């Protein structure tokens, strides 16, 4: 199989995935989405580095950062690969649904899954009305960047005057109810879902309310309850991701709420506290999908 591994950063994850694919008999070619080109006038206008013809599959670890235009082009390239028959994990549609937190919240709610109250608005005046009605000191809303990740740019909003200007949030206010724990701990949960199954989970504990491992949160081993695993699996299905990191928080009544669905999750912290080889699980699921999509070969008996 002609397999591409698209990874622009994160050497640890890149090396783990490459080794896992090789262990399973594939020969991955590393490339950056930033180096894919569209050149018309030839037999195949989509040019993927390292491939004379389009790959059978592309395992996507990261998409190179850049302008809105560059990101749009790279997602367009992924859509073009899918339309040409290449298996892409995660699919561009799944990436678009999950990086847009508003769409994720919409899909989670439509699926009937528990999630904190969420408000997405374009104007500061409208956001201020929500804050005035729904927030107060000690009961804040969380302001999140619509396309943010790894805990970057989060703010607690208790009063309308806490809201930044529209330009500072790219004219989108994504506000979500902050769920505090009764025991005062700063703790939530990450569940890794692959091929529709929750394969590993961890507690994330911080010295502040932002618990992302990237921001100093500590990964702790977790005997994942069946209810948490099932909720994470349903969240992944609602958004349509092949592999994902699902963030959960306790609801204070013995259950869980879905916070986020991540289509390009990191797992270095999780790997420290689980025996499951996550890279191997992702590589195996991806190769299963590629094999399932390939046309069957006809074998003729000779003699």
């Amino acid at each position: 199989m002609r397999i591409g591994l698209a990874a622009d950063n994160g050497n640890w994850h890149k090396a783990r995935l490459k080794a896992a694919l090789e262990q399973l008999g594939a020969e991955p070619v590393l490339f950056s989405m930033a180096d894919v080109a569209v050149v018309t006038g030839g037999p195949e206008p989509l040019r993927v580095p390292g491939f004379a013809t389009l790959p059978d599959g592309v395992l996507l670890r990261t998409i190179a950062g850049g302008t809105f235009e560059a990101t749009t082009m790279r997602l367009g390239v992924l859509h073009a690969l899918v339309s040409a028959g290449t298996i892409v994990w995660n699919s561009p549609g799944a990436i678009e649904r999950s990086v847009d937190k508003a769409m994720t919240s919409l899909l989670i709610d439509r699926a009937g899954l528990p999630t904190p109250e969420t408000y997405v608005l374009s104007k500061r005046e409208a956001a201020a009305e929500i804050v005035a009605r729904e927030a107060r000191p000690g009961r804040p809303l969380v302001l999140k960047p619509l396309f943010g990740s790894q805990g970057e740019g989060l703010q607690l909003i208790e009063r309308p005057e806490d809201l930044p200007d529209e330009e500072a949030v790219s004219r989108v206010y994504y506000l979500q109810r902050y769920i505090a724990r009764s025991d005062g701990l700063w703790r939530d949960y990450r569940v890794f879902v692959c091929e529709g199954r929750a394969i590993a989970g961890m507690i994330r504990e911080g010295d502040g309310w932002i618990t992302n491992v990237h921001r100093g949160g500590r990964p702790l081993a977790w005997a994942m309850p069946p209810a948490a695993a099932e909720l994470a699996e349903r969240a992944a299905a609602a958004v349509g991701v092949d592999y994902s990191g699902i963030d959960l928080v306790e609801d204070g009544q013995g259950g869980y709420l879905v916070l986020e669905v991540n289509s390009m999750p990191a797992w270095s912290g999780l790997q420290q506290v689980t025996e499951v080889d996550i890279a191997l699980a992702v590589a195996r699921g991806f190769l299963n999908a590629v094999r399932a999509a390939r046309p069957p070969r006809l074998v003729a008996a000779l003699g």
Side-chain angles (χ1 to χ4, degrees), residues 64-74:
T67 63
F68 177 78
E69 290 82 358
T71 301
T72 299
M73 177 196 169
R74 288 158 196 165

Side-chain angles (χ1 to χ4, degrees), residues 4 32 141 173-174 187 189 266 269:
S32 169
L141 298 176
Y173 292 91
Y174 179 98
R187 174 180 284 189
Y189 305 90

Side-chain angles (χ1 to χ4, degrees), residues 120-133 159-161 163-167 169 171-173 175:
V120 187
L121 312 105
S122 296
K123 295 183 177 180
R124 191 181 188 280
E125 180 181 354
E129 291 178 2
I130 293 294
V131 173
R133 187 180 75 233
R159 304 166 302 170
E161 51 266 36
L163 289 167
D165 293 336
E166 292 178 4
E167 290 74 16
V169 294
R171 298 186 182 276
V172 177
Y173 292 91
L175 295 160

